[in-house]
Amino acid sequence: MIQPLTPIHSLPSQQSWSLEEVVPVPMLPPYWQKEKGFDVTLIERDFFPRYHIGESMLPSCRNFMAFIGAEELVKNHGFVIKPGGALKLRQEKREGYSDFIELDPDSIAWNVIRSQFDELLLRHASASGVKVFEGLNVTDIKFSGERPASAIYEAQGTQTSKPREINFRYLVDASGRTGIMSTKYLKNRQFSKSLMNMAFWGYWRGGGKYAPGTNRENAPWFEAFAGRFLLKHK
């Protein structure tokens, strides 16, 4: 089993910022740590690298990577280059194309393997001075009046782990769908109706490339189904 970047017993009991169970890996902690002088602790439930569905990025994401000093790190990793995207919604029409590099050849994005991409950012946070702890699960938040003041956490995958506590001045709950603050305490989670849908994904071998030999080569292809797609519940 991969060990946490820092031993559990050395996790501080007092911090300026605490981020818990971050999914995906946070992009702002390195900035807070280096530029703003906060003492940041990141508590992550899983051990990295861990599987996550892949991501097809947009060039605008690079602004955030540059903001925290991770753009070159991602650029030089070797992810599949994404020069644009082809979209076909009507079968009788030609596909449309969004060209990322028409005005700037360097304005590419990437199709990233999330296990690798997330770990790059996690290690970058650690290298920037963030105290990163993997394999810890936050179970409860304690309050001082209306403000969250401390978090109770325990080690994942062990029956002998004893709950421990960390105090903080500020808390960022980045626990994704779990959303311990919004679901367990604030009770204020709201869902966007436009995003209440489902998706299927799979992996294939031997697929062709879009527009080989051109500056659009290997751009992702998105196509709508012809006819109807019906799901039946048992």
Side-chain angles (χ1 to χ4, degrees), residues 53-79:
I53 301 171
E55 191 75 38
S56 186
M57 308 187 76
L58 295 174
S60 57
C61 293
R62 296 180 60 170
N63 295 324
F64 296 98
M65 296 179 202
F67 184 67
I68 64 165
E71 184 180 22
E72 291 301 312
L73 187 68
V74 175
K75 183 178 180 180
N76 296 329
H77 182 73
F79 291 120

Side-chain angles (χ1 to χ4, degrees), residues 195-229:
L195 297 178
M196 294 181 69
N197 48 36
M198 63 175 63
F200 298 89
W201 78 97
Y203 301 92
W204 291 266
R205 294 184 183 275
K209 290 184 177 181
Y210 177 75
T214 73
N215 60 1
R216 299 183 178 186
E217 180 173 335
N218 210 33
W221 170 276
F222 305 93
E223 184 174 355
F225 284 112
R228 295 184 178 181
F229 187 68

